[in-house]
Amino acid sequence: MTGQTRTSYSREEIVLSIAIPMFCFGGTALGILLEDLGYIEDAGLFFWGCLVGAFLLAYLAWGKPRKDIVSLLAPMYAFIIFFATWEMKPTVILQLLFGISLTVLVVRLNRRFSTPPVKEQEEDPMEKYLYDYLHRITPFFRGIDRETAHSIASVVLSYKFELYPKVVASAGTAISRLSGEGAIAVARKAVTIIRDRAVKLDQSDVKAYSALAFGPGEEQYLAIIIPADQIMNRDDYVLDNAIVLAYGIAYLCSPDDGQMLDEHQNFIIQILSSYKEQMGR
């Protein structure tokens, strides 16, 4: 679960947030008191607390990292309501409604405009390519059961963390359960390619790779398809396709590993990005 960022307020913001409703409602209460004592004739015309509250709200809004046009124009609204509306005489009820409105704006201002504007990041084209690829291979591998897919997820994640003995163990489990032809045979081959590389790396043989490779008829299952003359290292090319395919199968068929696979998706994005130019992305 992702925790929400708690916004902290300055002392000035807290004081202003309290002062605005206090001036509005306090001014109205003072007007009623002065009318009862006979100092003024009509408490409805004693709207100065609302005016002060409107200017304080505008000042509070001006200091926020994001500007709220409604709060900034509060003094103008106050002038229109209390001075320019000739057909309606200001009343105590009007002051109370205005005070409630300013209080709502204070809450809105503090909750929505206290954080800097967030620039929307453009979607990584290779991330989109990965999702398109997952959508493309879904019909081929939807029949793989969760237990097998979990073992495949373990192969990919263990390889990412260089836990090569665990890669070999998980691959053995997955391979034994991947019985079939067509897409299942390609999945079995992908896991085997990763396992073979892990065996060599565990033996500190960094130059050795699996003897297996994907054939032309298996390209429909692969994410990275580039012309043969643009393949810089064929062994890495085969291994990278195997890793991305295994990741895709695990992502589609092992919901229990979904969060972990999401967290380490950048591992796959980096692989795809290394072929970005050759794929014309």
Side-chain angles (χ1 to χ4, degrees):
M1 182 179 294
T2 303
Q4 293 181 338
T5 302
R6 186 173 181 178
T7 304
S8 59
Y9 303 107
S10 67
R11 180 181 178 83
E12 182 182 49
E13 288 176 314
I14 295 173
V15 171
L16 287 172
S17 298
I18 296 173
I20 291 167
M22 285 187 64
F23 269 102
C24 291
F25 298 114
T28 302
L30 179 60
I32 295 173
L33 177 61
L34 292 176
E35 181 182 356
D36 289 341
L37 295 176
Y39 290 103
I40 60 175
E41 294 183 359
D42 187 356
L45 298 176
F46 194 83
F47 45 73
W48 307 109
C50 291
L51 290 180
V52 173
F55 279 96
L56 290 179
L57 177 62
Y59 178 75
L60 176 63
W62 182 256
K64 294 292 184 181
R66 296 164 60 197
K67 307 307 178 188
D68 176 22
I69 189 65
V70 177
S71 297
L72 288 171
L73 294 178
M76 183 187 73
Y77 298 143
F79 178 81
I80 293 173
I81 291 172
F82 293 109
F83 289 102
T85 310
W86 304 110
E87 66 274 8
M88 185 174 65
K89 181 181 178 181
T91 63
V92 170
I93 298 298
L94 184 62
Q95 292 180 39
L96 292 174
L97 291 175
F98 189 80
I100 293 172
S101 299
L102 291 194
T103 303
V104 171
L105 286 175
V106 169
V107 175
R108 174 177 176 269
L109 187 65
N110 286 329
R111 294 189 62 179
R112 297 188 180 182
F113 296 88
S114 293
T115 55
V118 178
K119 294 182 179 180
E120 293 186 2
Q121 297 181 348
E122 294 184 1
E123 184 179 21
D124 187 334
M126 301 317 295
E127 183 178 0
K128 182 180 184 302
Y129 180 82
L130 174 60
Y131 289 137
D132 290 342
Y133 169 68
L134 294 176
H135 179 73
R136 174 162 62 87
I137 66 172
T138 297
F140 300 124
F141 301 104
R142 64 178 55 180
I144 294 179
D145 61 84
R146 288 190 175 193
E147 290 77 10
T148 304
H150 173 69
S151 296
I152 297 174
S154 179
V155 169
V156 175
L157 294 172
S158 298
Y159 186 88
K160 193 261 183 185
F161 289 112
E162 301 181 1
L163 303 174
Y164 301 126
K166 188 172 182 180
V167 173
V168 175
S170 297
T173 302
I175 291 170
S176 67
R177 299 176 65 94
L178 288 168
S179 57
E181 301 300 324
I184 301 301
V186 177
R188 185 170 60 247
K189 180 185 290 187
V191 174
T192 304
I193 290 170
I194 300 171
R195 182 203 62 185
D196 292 349
R197 177 61 171 163
V199 169
K200 298 301 182 181
L201 290 174
D202 193 45
Q203 297 171 351
S204 300
D205 187 356
V206 297
K207 295 183 178 181
Y209 290 78
S210 176
L212 298 177
F214 298 105
E218 298 169 332
E219 289 186 349
Q220 61 180 324
Y221 308 111
L222 306 181
I224 308 166
I225 307 297
I226 58 177
D229 59 350
Q230 294 188 28
I231 298 175
M232 304 298 293
N233 185 312
R234 188 158 191 84
D235 289 328
D236 283 333
Y237 172 73
V238 171
L239 176 63
D240 289 340
N241 258 319
I243 293 172
V244 177
L245 174 57
Y247 176 91
I249 295 171
Y251 191 92
L252 293 171
C253 303
S254 181
D256 294 338
D257 296 291
Q259 182 176 350
M260 184 66 72
L261 292 168
D262 269 330
E263 291 175 358
H264 297 285
Q265 188 181 89
N266 194 51
F267 172 52
I268 305 302
I269 299 296
Q270 288 177 347
I271 292 175
L272 294 174
S273 296
S274 65
Y275 297 93
K276 182 177 180 179
E277 184 176 346
Q278 293 96 318
M279 292 193 294
R281 297 287 167 177

